[in-house]
Amino acid sequence: MCKKTLRTQISSEKGPQSVGPYSLGIGVQSEAMIYLSGQLPSNVNESIKKQTMQVIDNIEILLEEAGSSLSSVVKTTIFLADMNDFDAMNQIYAIYFSHPYPARSCVAVSALPKGAKIQIECIATAQGLREKEFEECNNCDE
């Protein structure tokens, strides 16, 4: 099986710089990807920090089930019911994700299902899924 790095950070000294724990872009070389629907916290009465932890923990569980991990996430989209929660969310997000951070969008919405303060969806590479579901590369010199 080809074990080549599947993710690479896209940045430029000439271009914009990120203003938080995210990459401006991630290049992916992969045949298998995981697309997770927006994940919500189950306890919407918690603080934004606790809701963020619960959502990312849920994402991690789903990715591990598919043979992947948080380190394979290439893109997240974060929906906040209140943009005033951005800094607190960012503090927790930075604990779970590391350099090169996934590319990321964060938007404020008027409301989220079940009264949640946050919802996160993501896209990840699926190396583990590739190993389970795809045939090995017979002519791979990498």
Side-chain angles (χ1 to χ4, degrees):
M1 175 65 73
C2 300
K3 297 289 186 185
K4 199 171 182 185
T5 300
L6 298 176
R7 301 179 343 142
T8 186
Q9 184 176 26
I10 299 170
S11 63
S12 172
E13 292 181 17
K14 299 176 190 176
Q17 302 300 309
S18 64
V19 294
Y22 64 92
S23 294
L24 296 173
I26 292 286
V28 178
Q29 179 181 353
S30 178
E31 295 173 9
M33 301 295 292
I34 298 168
Y35 298 85
L36 291 185
S37 297
Q39 301 300 306
L40 293 167
S42 59
N43 189 345
V44 296
N45 295 320
E46 297 284 353
S47 69
I48 186 63
K49 287 184 175 184
K50 288 189 178 187
Q51 285 191 32
T52 303
M53 285 188 275
Q54 186 178 41
V55 167
I56 298 173
D57 285 342
N58 291 343
I59 289 170
E60 187 171 33
I61 289 167
L62 292 170
L63 291 174
E64 287 175 357
E65 186 66 28
S68 191
S69 67
L70 289 177
S71 65
S72 296
V73 174
V74 295
K75 172 73 167 90
T76 60
T77 304
I78 301 170
F79 303 93
L80 292 174
D82 184 348
M83 196 52 83
N84 290 319
D85 288 335
F86 180 82
D87 289 337
M89 173 280 299
N90 225 24
Q91 290 172 5
I92 301 304
Y93 186 94
I95 293 169
Y96 283 86
F97 294 98
S98 59
H99 183 76
Y101 296 105
R104 184 180 85 181
S105 300
C106 182
V107 297
V109 296
S110 63
L112 288 166
K114 310 232 181 233
K117 296 177 182 176
I118 186 169
Q119 181 179 46
I120 302 175
E121 64 184 29
C122 74
I123 302 169
T125 59
Q127 183 65 33
L129 186 62
R130 288 180 66 187
E131 290 172 0
K132 291 178 186 175
E133 303 293 330
F134 293 91
E135 294 181 16
E136 289 191 21
C137 178
N138 293 325
N139 299 318
C140 185
D141 57 3
E142 302 174 32

